[in-house]
Amino acid sequence: MPAADAGPPPAGTPVPTAIARIAGDDTVALVWQNELGGMTALIERPSETVFAKWDPTGSPASLTGEAQRMRWLAQAGMRVPVVVGLMRDPTGDLLITEAIDAESIVTETSLQHPERAAAALGEGLRRLHALPAADCPFPAPSWTASQRIDDPVVCHGDPCVPNTLVAGGAFAGLVDLGDAGVGDRWSDLAIASWSLAWNGLAAAEPAFWDAYGARSDARRLAQWRALWAPPL
C-alpha cells in the first residue's frame, strides 16, 4: 500500500483513548502514524516493553489479520513481534505486541551505515521468501491481487525500509505485516529496492541485491512499481 502520509506523528498528537487505557500510568510514546489514521505507540512497562498498534473504526486495515499473519510467520521461524493481545472497542482495534530488541533501519544510527542498512533489508526479504509458500494460508498482498503470480513466495506486502528492524547493523526482524501473503517475489523486491531511495539509501542499493542474492531486473521492477504510489 502507498505510504504517502506515513511517518512519526507531529509533536502534541493526542494518544488514542484505547492506547491510553491499556497503558494506564506507564510511559507512552507515539512512534508512527500510518496513512489510514492508525497510530503505533511504545509503552514502557515495569517488566517489559510493548508496542500498541491502533486502527480507527472503519479502517480498511485488519489488525486481526495482521495478528494471524504474525503468529503464522513466528511458527514458520521468521523473526517477527510476538502477539500479546488483540482487542476492540467503539473507537477501533488494538494490537499489542512484544518489542523486539532492535530498531528500524530509518533511525539515525542505522542510516549512518548505508551498506549495512541496505544489506539488512535484502537479508530480511531473502529469509522471508525462503519460507514454504505452499504452506502459507494467506492470499496475495492486496495491491497485487489482480496480477498474475509468476514466481510465488511468501511476500511482506509492504516491504519498505522502515518495516525492517536491525540490531548491531544486522537484520533483526520484520514489522507491519498486515498485507503479508503468497505473491510474486518481484513485487516485494521492486518496492523494497525503490524505498531505499526514499530513505536516503539509493547509493547503497547494490548491497541490497547482494544480500538478497539476485540481480536487479529493470522490466520486473517497472511492472510492479507502476502499481505503487511512492511517497510525496
Side-chain angles (χ1 to χ4, degrees), residues 150-186:
D150 292 323
D151 190 355
V153 297
V154 179
C155 283
H156 185 292
D158 187 3
C160 297
V161 167
N163 293 332
T164 291
L165 305 182
V166 293
F171 170 73
L174 297 174
V175 297
D176 201 5
L177 294 152
D179 215 12
V182 178
D184 192 277
R185 179 188 310 272
W186 285 89

Side-chain angles (χ1 to χ4, degrees), residues 22-43:
I22 63 108
D25 295 330
D26 296 331
T27 301
V28 180
L30 294 178
V31 296
W32 198 257
Q33 175 177 305
N34 67 30
E35 70 282 358
L36 302 173
M39 295 279 185
T40 300
L42 178 69
I43 302 175

Side-chain angles (χ1 to χ4, degrees), residues 32 103-106 121 159-165 175 195 198-199:
W32 198 257
E103 61 184 11
S104 171
I105 286 180
V106 296
L121 182 68
C160 297
V161 167
N163 293 332
T164 291
L165 305 182
V175 297
S195 76
W198 312 335
N199 291 277

Side-chain angles (χ1 to χ4, degrees), residues 92-133:
D93 292 343
L94 187 66
L95 172 63
I96 305 168
T97 60
E98 291 182 4
I100 294 176
D101 187 14
E103 61 184 11
S104 171
I105 286 180
V106 296
T107 60
E108 183 178 352
T109 301
S110 183
L111 292 176
Q112 290 175 353
H113 304 281
E115 286 75 22
R116 287 198 299 183
L121 182 68
E123 173 67 13
L125 285 187
R126 184 188 67 77
R127 294 189 190 188
L128 179 65
H129 292 175
L131 298 180

